[in-house]
Amino acid sequence: MDPVKVFLDESEIPRQWYNILADMPTPMSPPLHPGTGQPIGPDDLAPVFPMNLIEQEVSSERWIDIPEEVLEKYLIWRPTPLCRAVNFERFLDAPVQIYYKNEGVSPPGSHKPNTAIAQAYYNKAFGIKRLSTETGAGQWGSALSMACQMFGLECRVFMVKVSYEQKPYRRIMMMTWGANCIPSPSDKTEAGRKILAEDPECPGSLGIAISEAIEDTVTDENARYSLGSVLNHVLLHQTINGLEAQKQLEKIGVYPDIVVGCTGGGSNFAGLCLPFVRDKINGKDISIVAAEPTSCPSLTRGSFAYDFGDTIMTTPLLPMYTLGHEFVPAPIHAGGLRYHGMAPIMSHLVKEDIIEARAYDQIETFDAGVRWARTEGFISAPETNHAIAAVVQEANRAKEEGKEKVILFNWSGHGLVDLAAYDAFLSGKLTKYDLPDDEIQKSLKSIEGLPKP
Amino acid sequence: MDPVKVFLDESEIPRQWYNILADMPTPMSPPLHPGTGQPIGPDDLAPVFPMNLIEQEVSSERWIDIPEEVLEKYLIWRPTPLCRAVNFERFLDAPVQIYYKNEGVSPPGSHKPNTAIAQAYYNKAFGIKRLSTETGAGQWGSALSMACQMFGLECRVFMVKVSYEQKPYRRIMMMTWGANCIPSPSDKTEAGRKILAEDPECPGSLGIAISEAIEDTVTDENARYSLGSVLNHVLLHQTINGLEAQKQLEKIGVYPDIVVGCTGGGSNFAGLCLPFVRDKINGKDISIVAAEPTSCPSLTRGSFAYDFGDTIMTTPLLPMYTLGHEFVPAPIHAGGLRYHGMAPIMSHLVKEDIIEARAYDQIETFDAGVRWARTEGFISAPETNHAIAAVVQEANRAKEEGKEKVILFNWSGHGLVDLAAYDAFLSGKLTKYDLPDDEIQKSLKSIEGLPKP
């Protein structure tokens, strides 16, 4: 029988995160203060993040120790299994071996707690009592709720009101983990009250929820803000996954030709691929493929530019691929990929041609995801289905070319709390969506006056 | 750091199931034909089950080989991790070590596919084209849907109509795995049509769904029926879990003082405990504790008697603890535990004082489950919370007595598709429920005329 799963003993869990900034072949542009246009310093971020995380954000140390307290919580579900998709391989009938890291085994069912646990720990260690964040579909909010509970921090999650009402399961998860989940816009903040005064029925947006969470943070010295993707320290924490994958592949004497993951803000794929990016920078012949949705194609159709991380222009300016902070993506079901920008680290690697980006339509991704479920059993998050679509494409290419390939991808989470999207797909209610060029051009106008990287 | 997870390499997966019938200290009464009152033979079951499974049902071989085709599918998620609940232990502050088998890592999130995969394989091997079954909350129906898809069998699931409408997620899982999920009562069967003619708005019941599934089976020679608990061969398939647990505990040099699981039909707990029951029969000092709901207390308040397995009296008479086949349990949230009877094997072991049974109120079980989620992260199925309540009770007892104990329990599944129950609990909508004695006595009248074991 083919081997299908490689476990790491818990004594083999990586004890350091990998920081790609130590190995970048070209320097990255710094984040800028939106008022002064000058590079921001640690003090600028101090009201929003604790100083120990700010230090990680700007560190260029290659290896950063994982605190014992974080490792102890990781061990609840990590190391995650490296699995070989033998049943899916058989279905594809192509000369490929397909391996995936199963990040769906975490309690909230995704990769998000890799950084949520670390962020809760560092805030606690810095003396913070409460974290505030926003959430769209709820993956991030639920992961942070669990992490805060584990470290005895209060947690407040501003959840986009329309999601709060339409997706009760994520809200209940947050409540079960003891968090305070608030539909946004809310009457808890000046920003929320102002919007409600103008439109009491406002369904909310991620932009509004971010502004509420940040206001809620900067007005309370015991509170800090927490972000689930995009930033350097978030990507750093996720690298535990790629480091595990390298150890697991080494055990079976396999090295991938292609590493694949889906990208919204960039963190789940960064977590898997950055240790392999290091190998590539050091000369290894390997393809690294980011799969994004055609409805929100920051890497494939956006501009590399300075832009705000949020839609209401409160964050520092980040150098990244962006569709413009005014871009409003179509309401596709992969909520975690509906972000106008991309992590600066991932953007830089795409710009340097180290990572290749491709976009997939939602019909194509659910086709791949349903076929995956019917062979490998697991029902993927709609986000994850983008990675599977890219795997299918690579397998078909290998078949056409008659070349043997080893593919590794990040199965970033399960879809058991996102089943309504499968219902829509299976009953024929999803359609192909072509994003018009002028819509992107119009949104990109919003960054015209900003500095250039 | 304390060790918290023990993995088995896939080469260490057990290759045989364990059949307790080979070691029963006293003989079990046979199932009886309801018409003749005589023990049923294999031929009586042939229209309902394939002969290879009927042979397993009556086998007294101690070890039964697991076919390679079944092992290959098991390996998608098995061996499941044995975990130590260090965070929960710390919260309980009692002199106990708590280990659990995480059966929630399977694609449908529970132990059910252990038998679904095996049943689909044996039906396929026997030349059957289609399986039919019933499902209440949907755990079983979704597991069988996945298994049938993996072996290329058609699958038809009659789902109690009120669940079909109120719990769309399980239905969507079944659709994703390619099954035909039909709200019951339906117009597909004589039984369904008759009920709909009398009451077009009938919300359905498990009894009605069973009768539809069986009718759907016996009228099609290419179809057979599949049951997710109670029967000997179902419990047999589940023993893979207990056998894995024994190997994992041996690796760390630990043997449990107490083995705990929740019981509805009996199969998840049987799967974990039967290999330990064997040790107990062979002289080992070990407590084996079955946790059932106070609202459906077959083991703690039922009679040991011959009764029908279903509410509409179509099955053979089984010797078991029962509340009477007319018993209608209160609508508690642990749907998988709402069964009037108990697997004959488990009933026999309780009667012989080898397994001890206790009942827990739903408030107590959700209290335990929320505390579990807030320390160990994982959100348990409401059924599984009964096992956790029993673990809490054992830990408190060890603390009172000042005795060190090792507890092993079956974390039979996650609750991510059952979150409405947590919502009800957290918002104070669940109440304690005292089942009146006369309700049980009234229901037990339904078995008065039947043979006695």
Side-chain angles (χ1 to χ4, degrees):
Chain A
M1 229 172 334
D2 284 323
V4 295
K5 272 196 310 310
V6 185
F7 291 119
L8 283 187
D9 198 83
E10 61 187 33
S11 64
E12 300 169 292
I13 194 168
R15 305 211 153 230
Q16 297 179 309
W17 292 299
Y18 168 62
N19 183 3
I20 186 78
L21 293 185
D23 293 311
M24 275 294 186
T26 54
M28 287 174 62
S29 305
L32 302 182
H33 192 288
T36 65
Q38 294 302 305
I40 50 163
D43 289 345
D44 295 320
L45 296 172
V48 181
F49 299 110
M51 196 50 74
N52 47 11
L53 281 177
I54 295 171
E55 282 162 14
Q56 279 190 353
E57 182 66 19
V58 301
S59 170
S60 57
E61 289 291 315
R62 182 171 290 117
W63 299 104
I64 293 181
D65 288 343
I66 305 175
E68 287 290 297
E69 294 86 343
V70 171
L71 275 175
E72 187 188 87
K73 303 303 178 197
Y74 276 178
L75 286 177
I76 290 175
W77 75 97
R78 303 205 73 85
T80 61
L82 175 80
C83 310
R84 182 163 171 196
V86 285
N87 299 285
F88 194 56
E89 285 176 18
R90 213 168 285 152
F91 160 72
L92 292 173
D93 191 26
V96 293
Q97 289 179 40
I98 301 171
Y99 295 89
Y100 67 97
K101 276 288 276 186
N102 184 348
E103 288 289 287
V105 298
S106 80
S110 79
H111 64 289
K112 290 287 187 194
N114 295 334
T115 186
I117 291 285
Q119 292 191 43
Y121 166 76
Y122 283 110
N123 274 281
K124 176 78 174 183
F126 194 68
I128 301 303
K129 307 288 182 214
R130 182 166 72 75
L131 286 182
S132 212
T133 197
E134 74 288 333
T135 202
Q139 284 269 21
W140 168 243
S142 55
L144 191 68
S145 300
M146 181 189 79
C148 284
Q149 176 65 239
M150 287 179 170
F151 285 104
L153 290 173
E154 202 186 320
C155 183
R156 200 173 284 173
V157 181
F158 292 89
M159 185 171 188
V160 177
K161 195 190 272 173
V162 61
S163 297
Y164 182 93
E165 285 163 359
Q166 286 175 3
K167 301 187 172 184
Y169 275 29
R170 286 278 171 200
R171 167 179 64 75
I172 303 168
M173 284 166 82
M174 295 183 233
M175 285 167 56
T176 302
W177 283 315
N180 187 1
C181 180
I182 299 167
S184 165
S186 78
D187 61 3
K188 309 283 180 213
T189 67
E190 197 54 49
R193 285 189 293 270
K194 201 171 148 193
I195 287 160
L196 286 175
E198 286 167 15
D199 176 9
E201 301 304 314
C202 173
S205 72
L206 209 50
I208 296 170
I210 292 175
S211 61
E212 288 209 273
I214 291 180
E215 180 188 326
D216 181 50
T217 301
V218 295
T219 54
D220 177 354
E221 63 177 329
N222 289 314
R224 288 295 183 279
Y225 173 69
S226 182
L227 195 65
S229 192
V230 179
L231 299 178
N232 297 353
H233 68 274
V234 179
L235 275 57
L236 174 81
H237 301 151
Q238 292 291 350
T239 60
I240 178 103
N241 191 35
L243 295 167
E244 283 179 9
Q246 288 192 325
K247 285 191 172 194
Q248 288 163 314
L249 288 167
E250 203 174 314
K251 280 197 170 192
I252 53 171
V254 168
Y255 193 89
D257 300 296
I258 307 160
V259 178
V260 172
C262 63
T263 50
S267 78
N268 97 71
F269 187 40
L272 181 67
C273 81
L274 291 181
F276 295 94
V277 166
R278 181 183 184 218
D279 292 350
K280 182 165 184 166
I281 290 169
N282 290 333
K284 200 89 180 174
D285 179 21
I286 179 172
S287 299
I288 298 176
V289 179
E292 65 179 12
T294 51
S295 56
C296 195
S298 56
L299 288 172
T300 52
R301 295 173 70 189
S303 285
F304 185 80
Y306 269 117
D307 195 4
F308 293 96
D310 63 342
T311 53
I312 52 159
M313 302 182 286
T314 56
T315 73
L317 291 169
L318 301 173
M320 61 182 177
Y321 279 97
T322 178
L323 296 161
H325 56 267
E326 286 182 357
F327 184 76
V328 181
I332 62 157
H333 286 282
L337 305 183
R338 298 180 67 227
Y339 182 62
H340 69 274
M342 179 55 60
I345 284 175
M346 299 301 275
S347 295
H348 189 75
L349 291 166
V350 169
K351 187 171 69 69
E352 297 292 318
D353 287 331
I354 293 168
I355 294 180
E356 180 187 343
R358 298 189 205 142
Y360 299 89
D361 184 79
Q362 62 177 348
I363 297 289
E364 195 175 359
T365 66
F366 275 103
D367 259 337
V370 166
R371 186 45 61 185
W372 175 267
R374 290 184 180 181
T375 52
E376 289 296 320
F378 293 106
I379 296 178
S380 323
E383 291 82 359
T384 310
N385 285 341
H386 290 71
I388 299 175
V391 169
V392 171
Q393 188 185 43
E394 286 296 337
N396 288 337
R397 184 173 300 180
K399 197 172 178 176
E400 281 162 24
E401 297 176 358
K403 285 186 188 155
E404 293 191 359
K405 297 281 182 188
V406 174
I407 304 173
L408 168 69
F409 82 98
N410 202 24
W411 198 76
S412 54
H414 67 63
L416 299 184
V417 197
D418 309 285
L419 284 167
Y422 280 85
D423 200 18
F425 172 72
L426 291 166
S427 51
K429 286 179 198 143
L430 293 194
T431 49
K432 198 167 179 315
Y433 172 71
D434 288 311
L435 174 63
D437 234 359
D438 57 358
E439 212 169 295
I440 298 175
Q441 294 314 321
K442 192 178 145 204
S443 164
L444 281 174
K445 283 202 196 309
S446 63
I447 60 171
E448 268 176 6
L450 299 175
K452 305 284 173 223
Chain B
M1 232 172 331
D2 284 322
V4 295
K5 270 195 311 311
V6 185
F7 291 119
L8 282 188
D9 198 83
E10 62 187 33
S11 64
E12 300 170 293
I13 195 168
R15 304 209 153 231
Q16 297 178 309
W17 291 299
Y18 168 62
N19 183 3
I20 186 79
L21 293 186
D23 292 311
M24 276 293 186
T26 53
M28 287 173 64
S29 305
L32 303 183
H33 191 289
T36 65
Q38 295 301 307
I40 50 162
D43 290 344
D44 294 320
L45 296 172
V48 182
F49 299 110
M51 197 49 77
N52 47 12
L53 281 176
I54 295 171
E55 281 162 14
Q56 278 190 355
E57 181 67 19
V58 299
S59 170
S60 56
E61 289 291 315
R62 181 171 290 117
W63 299 103
I64 293 181
D65 288 344
I66 304 176
E68 286 290 294
E69 294 86 342
V70 171
L71 275 174
E72 187 189 88
K73 303 303 178 197
Y74 276 178
L75 286 177
I76 289 176
W77 76 97
R78 305 206 70 88
T80 62
L82 176 80
C83 310
R84 183 165 169 193
V86 284
N87 299 285
F88 194 58
E89 286 175 16
R90 213 168 285 151
F91 160 73
L92 292 173
D93 190 27
V96 293
Q97 290 179 41
I98 300 171
Y99 295 89
Y100 67 98
K101 276 288 274 186
N102 183 347
E103 289 288 288
V105 298
S106 80
S110 79
H111 64 289
K112 290 288 186 192
N114 295 334
T115 185
I117 291 286
Q119 291 191 43
Y121 166 76
Y122 283 110
N123 275 280
K124 176 79 174 182
F126 194 68
I128 301 303
K129 307 289 182 211
R130 182 167 72 75
L131 285 182
S132 212
T133 196
E134 75 288 333
T135 202
Q139 284 269 20
W140 168 243
S142 55
L144 192 68
S145 300
M146 181 189 79
C148 284
Q149 176 64 238
M150 288 180 169
F151 286 103
L153 290 173
E154 201 186 321
C155 183
R156 199 173 284 172
V157 181
F158 291 88
M159 185 172 189
V160 177
K161 194 189 274 174
V162 61
S163 298
Y164 182 94
E165 285 162 0
Q166 287 176 2
K167 301 189 172 181
Y169 275 30
R170 286 278 171 201
R171 167 179 64 75
I172 303 168
M173 285 167 81
M174 294 183 233
M175 284 168 55
T176 302
W177 283 314
N180 186 2
C181 180
I182 299 166
S184 164
S186 77
D187 61 4
K188 309 283 179 213
T189 65
E190 195 54 48
R193 285 189 292 271
K194 199 171 150 194
I195 287 160
L196 286 174
E198 285 167 15
D199 177 8
E201 301 305 313
C202 173
S205 72
L206 209 50
I208 296 169
I210 293 175
S211 61
E212 288 209 274
I214 292 182
E215 179 188 327
D216 181 49
T217 301
V218 295
T219 54
D220 177 354
E221 63 178 325
N222 289 315
R224 289 293 183 279
Y225 173 70
S226 180
L227 195 65
S229 191
V230 179
L231 299 179
N232 297 352
H233 68 274
V234 178
L235 275 57
L236 173 81
H237 301 151
Q238 292 291 349
T239 59
I240 178 103
N241 192 35
L243 295 167
E244 283 179 9
Q246 287 192 325
K247 283 191 173 194
Q248 288 163 315
L249 288 168
E250 204 173 313
K251 280 197 171 192
I252 53 171
V254 168
Y255 194 89
D257 300 297
I258 307 159
V259 179
V260 172
C262 63
T263 49
S267 77
N268 98 71
F269 187 41
L272 181 67
C273 81
L274 291 181
F276 295 94
V277 165
R278 181 182 184 219
D279 292 351
K280 182 164 184 167
I281 290 170
N282 290 333
K284 199 89 177 173
D285 179 21
I286 180 173
S287 298
I288 298 176
V289 178
E292 66 179 11
T294 51
S295 56
C296 195
S298 56
L299 288 171
T300 52
R301 294 173 72 189
S303 285
F304 185 80
Y306 269 116
D307 195 4
F308 292 96
D310 62 343
T311 53
I312 52 158
M313 301 182 287
T314 57
T315 73
L317 291 168
L318 300 173
M320 61 183 177
Y321 279 96
T322 179
L323 296 160
H325 56 267
E326 286 183 358
F327 183 76
V328 181
I332 62 157
H333 286 282
L337 305 183
R338 298 179 69 228
Y339 182 61
H340 70 274
M342 178 55 59
I345 284 175
M346 300 300 275
S347 295
H348 189 75
L349 291 165
V350 169
K351 187 171 67 73
E352 296 292 318
D353 286 331
I354 293 168
I355 294 180
E356 180 187 342
R358 296 187 206 142
Y360 298 89
D361 185 79
Q362 63 177 349
I363 296 289
E364 194 175 1
T365 66
F366 275 102
D367 259 337
V370 167
R371 186 45 61 184
W372 176 267
R374 291 184 180 181
T375 52
E376 289 296 321
F378 293 106
I379 296 177
S380 323
E383 291 82 358
T384 311
N385 286 340
H386 290 71
I388 300 175
V391 169
V392 171
Q393 187 185 43
E394 285 296 336
N396 288 338
R397 184 173 301 178
K399 197 172 179 175
E400 281 163 26
E401 297 176 358
K403 284 186 188 154
E404 293 191 359
K405 298 281 184 187
V406 174
I407 304 173
L408 169 68
F409 81 97
N410 202 23
W411 198 76
S412 53
H414 67 63
L416 299 183
V417 197
D418 308 286
L419 284 166
Y422 280 85
D423 199 19
F425 173 71
L426 290 166
S427 51
K429 286 179 196 142
L430 293 194
T431 48
K432 197 167 179 317
Y433 172 71
D434 288 310
L435 174 62
D437 234 0
D438 56 359
E439 213 169 293
I440 297 176
Q441 293 316 318
K442 191 178 145 205
S443 164
L444 281 174
K445 281 201 198 312
S446 63
I447 60 169
E448 268 177 4
L450 299 174
K452 306 284 171 219

